[in-house]
Amino acid sequence: MELIAKLSLLADAAKYDASCASSAAPKRNSRNREGLGASTGGGICHSYTPDGRCVALLKILLTNFCLYDCQYCINRRSSDVPRARFSVDEVVRLTLDFYQRNYVSGLFLSSGIIRSPDYTMEQLVAVARSLREQHQFRGYIHLKTIPEADPALVAAAGRYADRVSVNIELPRQEGLQRLAPEKSLSTIHSAMGVIHQAGETHRHATPSFSGRKPARLAPAGQSTQMIVGADDSSDAQVLTTAENLYQRFKLRRVYYSAYSPIPGAPGTVPHQPPPLLREHRLYQADHLIRLYGFGAGELLAGTTTLALDLDPKLAWALNHRDQFPVDLNLAPEQLIARVPGIGLRSAQRLVMLRRRRAVCFDDLVRLRCVVRKAQPFIVTRDYRPSRAEPESARLARQLRDPVPEQLGLWG
């Protein structure tokens, strides 16, 4: 098969993997040094094309042949999609050619399982090793690791890649047993543990006489992806799993990918996709867990599903009216950040502002807070919500996000 035909097939097959963002990559370049490439400068774009492809990374599979028969995967063993496979040298050459033409800033490489998990992992590591050691490539590399592979190979992947990821796919073992019987949560957790432990070892390592620590494995950390809607897992189960992964393995990110029905899919998976808004609400809730200190249990108190018509922070505030209104001139920064319509940066600026003078209502407008959402929950020097504020259900109807309308092409 021609190289361009392989590229077309294997780049298309890789678009279903959403966990390719490159944030937190180390600053590295070849200026005044041997080699080529950089992970800084123009930066690595995190934008996605409408079909889910990351536009600034060469995002491909090594092969879409696969021994596994995961029911939700288009590359499963029983699928009749056209198959192709790159050699290690072909991937290396493509990466260098694309980079030198300024098409991409790095490589995101995943693969189906061929021969065995160890063999597949060896091939992925061989690509990264060749780029780093033979071609002195200093650009960004993200490798997908194979959970069932030998831990030494997973560690080797971390030695050459900026970021590694192990896809957990589904939040519950029951779901994996039914839809991906060759996989198990315990092996996935073991692979995550290898990278996490390496990071901890590096953090506590004693510097050498020169003051430098040994190179850190996967310096941009690790991430994972969960497929939403392929099984009957609830939002509560998805978010609780994500929260546990953040706490246990210090993951950089958990990505959520709404299940996309595939042609010829077996009857064990849905034939209709979940609402994309569900994926969006999960990302919002994940953001609140990672950055705002919310717990999954707080966001889902008394229910298993996130509201689709309210963002999770507003829904939480409506369920905890007893904690509001918050006086912006007295409350701690963490509590201000929990007010709907006020983000972390705005909370920080409000606290800085009140050191000079009292915060007024118009300050929220100047800071571009979402005043419509914040108004019922705050007190400022010149504003206090009416004691006759509507009950939460009525307030929810007033504050819910407007239903988006599809605009006509010709007005």
Side-chain angles (χ1 to χ4, degrees):
M1 183 181 287
E2 294 288 334
L3 187 62
I4 189 67
K6 290 185 189 178
L7 182 60
S8 176
L9 271 177
L10 296 174
D12 187 69
K15 71 184 180 186
Y16 296 96
D17 200 320
S19 60
C20 60
S22 57
S23 57
K27 294 180 179 178
R28 180 182 55 242
N29 64 63
S30 54
R31 181 174 295 175
N32 301 324
R33 300 179 61 186
E34 189 179 356
L36 78 165
S39 59
T40 57
I44 296 174
C45 181
H46 302 169
S47 300
Y48 292 81
T49 58
D51 63 355
R53 194 171 303 161
C54 185
V55 294
L57 299 178
L58 175 58
K59 183 178 176 182
I60 54 175
L61 298 185
L62 184 69
T63 178
N64 64 346
F65 287 100
C66 194
L67 296 173
Y68 291 179
D69 202 35
C70 307
Q71 305 290 287
Y72 47 77
C73 180
I74 195 169
N75 299 315
R76 66 187 184 280
R77 183 179 65 231
S78 57
S79 174
D80 60 355
V81 295
R83 306 284 181 171
R85 177 184 172 184
F86 283 126
S87 68
V88 169
D89 289 341
E90 285 175 332
V91 176
V92 170
R93 182 153 49 92
L94 275 173
T95 305
L96 296 176
D97 285 351
F98 274 55
Y99 191 90
Q100 288 166 335
R101 286 172 170 78
N102 203 27
Y103 293 163
V104 299
S105 301
L107 170 69
F108 175 93
L109 184 62
S110 184
S111 180
I113 313 296
I114 45 175
R115 293 196 196 178
S116 70
D118 281 352
Y119 176 78
T120 307
M121 197 70 241
E122 286 171 0
Q123 297 288 294
L124 295 172
V125 171
V127 170
R129 183 190 300 118
S130 175
L131 283 168
R132 292 290 195 225
E133 294 186 350
Q134 293 180 23
H135 301 280
Q136 303 298 310
F137 181 69
R138 304 191 191 284
Y140 179 81
I141 297 178
H142 182 150
L143 287 185
K144 188 70 66 178
T145 58
I146 311 298
E148 296 78 16
D150 189 291
L153 291 168
V154 175
R159 198 152 44 242
Y160 297 110
D162 295 283
R163 173 171 286 187
V164 297
S165 54
V166 189
N167 281 357
I168 193 168
E169 308 289 14
L170 300 173
R172 296 179 303 140
Q173 179 61 36
E174 295 83 357
L176 283 175
Q177 272 182 340
R178 191 167 66 86
L179 300 180
E182 289 96 347
K183 296 183 176 180
S184 79
L185 280 184
S186 62
T187 54
I188 293 168
H189 288 169
S190 296
M192 289 178 176
V194 170
I195 300 300
H196 172 60
Q197 188 55 46
E200 290 297 296
T201 302
H202 177 272
R203 194 157 66 90
H204 298 293
T206 304
S208 65
F209 287 116
S210 63
R212 301 183 63 180
K213 288 185 176 182
R216 181 184 172 187
L217 298 191
Q222 58 177 326
S223 57
T224 191
Q225 172 178 280
M226 271 191 273
I227 301 172
V228 178
D231 68 348
D232 57 359
S233 296
S234 66
D235 293 343
Q237 289 164 327
V238 170
L239 289 175
T240 302
T241 300
E243 186 179 39
N244 289 337
L245 293 176
Y246 284 129
Q247 292 172 353
R248 187 174 170 190
F249 302 112
K250 309 298 180 196
L251 296 193
R252 289 281 186 182
R253 287 293 304 273
V254 175
Y255 293 89
Y256 307 93
S257 177
Y259 171 68
S260 177
I262 46 182
T268 50
V269 289
H271 293 291
Q272 295 294 326
L276 280 179
L277 195 53
R278 183 184 175 197
E279 178 188 282
H280 179 62
R281 295 299 184 214
L282 285 169
Y283 272 115
Q284 289 180 316
D286 182 277
H287 191 73
L288 294 175
I289 291 171
R290 283 187 296 116
L291 303 179
Y292 286 73
F294 281 91
E298 284 183 279
L299 298 172
L300 287 153
T303 180
T304 60
T305 307
L306 293 170
L308 292 183
D309 57 346
L310 295 171
D311 72 72
K313 190 155 81 164
L314 176 57
W316 173 82
L318 290 169
N319 287 329
H320 296 80
R321 296 288 295 279
D322 57 309
Q323 298 189 26
F324 297 97
V326 167
D327 190 334
L328 299 185
N329 284 297
L330 297 173
E333 183 179 323
Q334 295 85 352
L335 185 54
I336 295 175
R338 289 193 166 212
V339 175
I342 299 180
L344 288 173
R345 182 68 62 86
S346 294
Q348 187 180 37
R349 287 173 175 168
L350 286 168
V351 170
M352 292 172 64
L353 176 64
R354 76 188 187 192
R355 290 174 186 159
R356 302 199 304 272
R357 61 171 175 80
V359 174
C360 299
F361 187 82
D362 284 349
D363 292 325
L364 297 181
V365 179
R366 280 191 282 272
L367 290 175
R368 298 184 179 180
C369 299
V370 185
V371 175
R372 183 177 69 91
K373 290 186 177 180
Q375 194 167 357
F377 302 100
I378 59 164
V379 170
T380 63
R381 187 183 68 174
D382 55 350
Y383 172 78
R384 177 178 289 275
S386 165
R387 291 186 177 181
E389 276 292 312
E391 60 180 5
S392 291
R394 188 175 157 201
L395 200 53
R397 287 194 293 275
Q398 293 174 1
L399 298 178
R400 67 181 40 158
D401 295 332
V403 178
E405 293 182 28
Q406 177 65 53
L407 298 177
L409 185 60
W410 308 111

